[in-house]
Amino acid sequence: MSSVPSAHTPRPGSVALALGVAVATISSAALLIRSSAADAVTIALWRLTWATVILAPWSLRAARRELPALPRREQRLVLLAGVVLALHFAAWFASFARSSPWATSVAASSTLVVLHPALVALATPWLFGQAVPRRARWGIGLSLLGAALIALGDASSQGRNALIGDLLALLGAAGGAAYFLLGARLRATLSLRAYLLPVYATAALTLGLLAVLSGSALWVSSTREHAIFLALAAGPMVLGHGLLNWSLRWVPAWAVSASILAEPVSASALVLAVRGERPPWSAVAGALPVLAGLFLIATAARQKEPA
């Protein structure tokens, strides 16, 4: 995706800082979700509901102004982005939520769900006509090798149910890839305010429908649970994903998506520090190639920045 000329083009380094803050806040999601006793779909539903409520005062005017001006096809893509975001969260949360019968470890789930950069990198040339630099391709491959070490070791130590959790995390990765690709296209013409509100609202409605179909609770009375939901909405959702979507206007989709490869390391570290859930040896061994791959990806993206 090419950058859109603007008088408000960010200063050099500000996009990298935004991506760093986004990854840090998104990494806290695993700890919050693991701390909740609610069903995975219920957690996702309230995360998106609270995020919509938080964003509405900031975004409603821009959405009313910009969305009607879009062609019908682009309006449908906005709705589709909300649907795939809902599926991404529903599948990923079910892969490691405390209440899920198929829960695998945070390390395995967080690693498998961030495999979406490989899917984004493969689709970017076809959809956007933009080549992914060779250094970035090597970096993604190296990071995915580390991710495989983490996931395979963790899945083998937990048995059959963990394999279902791994599959759910992979489905979450596919939803994440579609979400990033749609965002890359739509953010070329929509402001961040006009984009986020309809996408999050559509995702919340989709999750409400999934809750009804799956028998998950639509309402939770626990104050503690709603504190977790609100924290998920304000931190990882509004701030974290908001910064990712803002970055899509200035850097390619594969670069934004690849930045999330740091999440398995930071999320596992948070869960270890707070809940005492120790990742297997494969998580520690896999962290090294993940970080090395991130370095290659970061330097490749830097080489493409304008002077």
Side-chain angles (χ1 to χ4, degrees):
M1 183 190 70
S2 59
S3 297
V4 177
S6 171
H8 303 289
T9 300
R11 294 180 179 181
S14 61
V15 175
L17 176 61
L19 289 175
V21 173
V23 171
T25 54
I26 288 172
S27 297
S28 68
L31 174 62
L32 292 167
I33 293 164
R34 198 71 150 184
S35 301
S36 174
D39 181 86
V41 176
T42 303
I43 298 173
L45 166 62
W46 279 101
R47 172 176 175 165
L48 270 300
T49 299
W50 279 118
T52 303
V53 170
I54 292 171
L55 282 174
W58 179 66
S59 301
L60 190 57
R61 181 178 297 179
R64 285 178 173 176
R65 182 179 63 251
E66 296 181 36
L67 288 175
L70 286 179
R72 286 286 181 88
R73 186 170 186 274
E74 299 295 305
Q75 292 176 355
R76 289 194 291 268
L77 290 180
V78 171
L79 297 179
L80 180 60
V83 172
V84 297
L85 181 62
L87 297 178
H88 160 74
F89 282 130
W92 179 43
F93 289 6
S95 73
F96 76 101
R98 186 150 53 98
S99 62
S100 175
W102 310 293
T104 185
S105 73
V106 170
S109 176
S110 297
T111 298
L112 290 171
V113 81
V114 297
L115 292 181
H116 56 75
L119 303 177
V120 170
L122 289 173
T124 294
W126 177 57
L127 293 178
F128 299 106
Q130 182 182 32
V132 178
R134 179 178 299 179
R135 180 189 291 263
R137 293 198 299 268
W138 278 104
I140 290 173
L142 189 58
S143 295
L144 295 181
L145 173 63
L149 290 175
I150 297 173
L152 290 174
D154 196 53
S156 64
S157 66
Q158 295 190 59
R160 183 180 302 174
N161 281 353
L163 295 178
I164 300 177
D166 292 341
L167 177 60
L168 288 169
L170 287 172
L171 290 175
Y179 173 63
F180 273 109
L181 288 168
L182 287 167
R185 172 166 179 164
L186 293 167
R187 283 285 289 122
T189 54
L190 281 176
S191 69
L192 183 62
R193 294 186 184 190
Y195 173 71
L196 289 182
L197 184 62
V199 169
Y200 288 2
T202 301
L205 291 173
T206 303
L207 287 163
L209 178 60
L210 286 177
V212 171
L213 293 176
S214 65
S216 300
L218 287 172
W219 174 253
V220 176
S221 58
S222 168
T223 303
R224 178 184 179 275
E225 290 296 326
H226 274 286
I228 293 174
F229 302 155
L230 187 57
L232 279 167
M237 193 76 250
V238 174
L239 180 59
H241 280 266
L243 287 173
L244 289 182
N245 281 290
W246 174 82
S247 301
L248 281 171
R249 192 175 182 92
W250 311 110
V251 296
W254 61 263
V256 174
S257 186
S259 69
I260 307 302
L261 282 171
E263 184 181 353
V265 179
S266 51
S268 298
L270 277 173
V271 172
L272 171 63
V274 178
R275 296 183 58 86
E277 296 185 22
R278 188 179 298 276
W281 66 267
S282 54
V284 179
L288 297 177
V290 167
L291 294 176
L294 283 172
F295 175 78
L296 292 178
I297 294 166
T299 53
R302 184 176 181 180
Q303 289 175 351
K304 290 178 69 65
E305 290 180 358

